[in-house]
């Protein structure tokens, strides 16, 4: 964990030192999230994300964009244990670092890794944080459009790369023991650059 953090900080320092310009901004929007690989029937859960970013222009066409986002994610488990649908709500602090390539002055594509830190996990108002790993890794793919010099929008899909299940005892949650599932999130954002 320390090596990854140190590597990211080193890269960002290098990028800042060679940047042509840096702009800061805020963004927020809609999340449509789910678990992939979950053994029960699940469907998407709507949530939101909000946070800040820095767009570091390395050249006219290329930029690096680190972000800090509060993100509500999870899934809806259909008919869990014969009951009605159950929402599993996970709150993360996500830190993506994106490489952005400008196809034109307004249109861009983006991709990059993400680390997420679990802040809380609840189901039906009950704390279930001990069932999920505290760290999640993902890969972001997206595209966006600058409507004006300050306002932009983008769509992004985050592919979960790590198993988030942290149940290691089959006595209390036998249905989750040895299960493997990952986060999946589709995000629609609106951003404002200062």
């Amino acid at each position: 964990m320390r090596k990854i953090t140190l590597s990211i900080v080193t890269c960002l320092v290098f990028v800042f030192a060679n940047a042509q310009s840096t702009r800061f901004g805020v963004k927020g929007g809609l999340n449509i999230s789910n678990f992939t690989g979950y053994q029960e029937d699940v469907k998407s859960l709507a949530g939101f994300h909000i946070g800040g970013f820095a767009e570091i222009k390395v050249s006219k066409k290329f930029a690096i964009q680190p972000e800090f986002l509060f993100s509500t994610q999870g899934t809806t488990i259909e008919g869990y244990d014969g009951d009605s649908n159950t929402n599993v709500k996970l709150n993360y602090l996500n830190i993506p670092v994106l490489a952005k390539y400008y196809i034109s002055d307004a249109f861009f594509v983006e991709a990059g890794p993400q680390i997420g830190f679990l802040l809380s996990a609840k189901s039906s108002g009950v704390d279930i944080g001990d069932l999920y790993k505290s760290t999640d890794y993902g890969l972001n793919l997206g595209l966006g459009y600058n409507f004006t010099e300050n306002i932009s929008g983008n769509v992004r899909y985050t592919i979960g790369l790590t198993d988030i299940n942290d149940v290691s005892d089959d006595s209390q949650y036998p249905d989750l023991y040895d299960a493997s599932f990952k986060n999946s999130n589709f995000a629609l954002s609106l951003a404002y650059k200062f």
Side-chain angles (χ1 to χ4, degrees):
M1 182 65 185
R2 289 183 197 165
K3 289 180 182 178
I4 293 170
T5 304
L6 184 60
S7 297
I8 290 172
V9 169
T10 302
C11 289
L12 290 177
V13 167
F14 176 77
V15 169
F16 268 113
N18 293 298
Q20 292 183 351
S21 67
T22 301
R23 295 186 68 189
F24 296 92
V26 293
K27 67 182 298 185
L30 174 70
N31 285 343
I32 303 294
S33 59
N34 209 335
F35 292 164
T36 58
Y38 195 75
Q39 58 199 12
E40 304 288 337
D41 290 330
V42 294
K43 62 182 184 179
S44 298
L45 182 69
F48 69 92
H49 61 274
I50 188 167
F53 64 91
E55 183 185 61
I56 308 160
K57 277 291 194 86
V58 178
S59 68
K60 183 178 179 183
K61 295 277 191 183
F62 185 71
I64 301 294
Q65 183 165 302
E67 301 178 354
F68 291 89
L69 303 172
F70 173 77
S71 181
T72 62
Q73 298 170 207
T75 194
T76 299
I77 304 171
E78 297 182 309
Y80 185 70
D81 285 340
D83 295 333
S84 59
N85 294 348
T86 301
N87 290 335
V88 176
K89 298 180 179 181
L90 309 178
N91 293 329
Y92 283 94
L93 171 62
N94 287 332
I95 306 173
V97 179
L98 302 161
K100 293 175 70 174
Y101 180 76
Y102 279 87
I103 296 170
S104 69
D105 288 341
F107 185 71
F108 60 88
V109 292
E110 61 184 14
Q114 170 177 292
I115 184 170
F117 300 101
L118 184 66
L119 302 175
S120 67
K122 291 190 177 181
S123 178
S124 302
V126 176
D127 184 359
I128 54 170
D130 58 335
L131 304 181
Y132 297 93
K133 291 181 181 167
S134 61
T135 307
D136 179 38
Y137 296 94
L139 176 65
N140 292 292
L141 303 170
L143 53 91
Y145 187 82
N146 290 329
F147 299 107
T148 69
E149 188 176 315
N150 300 94
I151 299 172
S152 65
N154 85 303
V155 293
R156 182 184 299 169
Y157 180 65
T158 305
I159 304 163
L161 299 178
T162 54
D163 176 16
I164 60 171
N165 183 18
D166 202 25
V167 174
S168 57
D169 181 3
D170 65 351
S171 60
Q172 190 172 5
Y173 300 100
D175 53 332
L176 291 178
Y177 180 68
D178 277 345
S180 177
F181 48 91
K182 301 173 183 178
N183 277 313
S184 169
N185 190 53
F186 174 80
L188 179 62
S189 303
L190 192 62
Y192 182 83
K193 285 185 268 191
F194 300 108

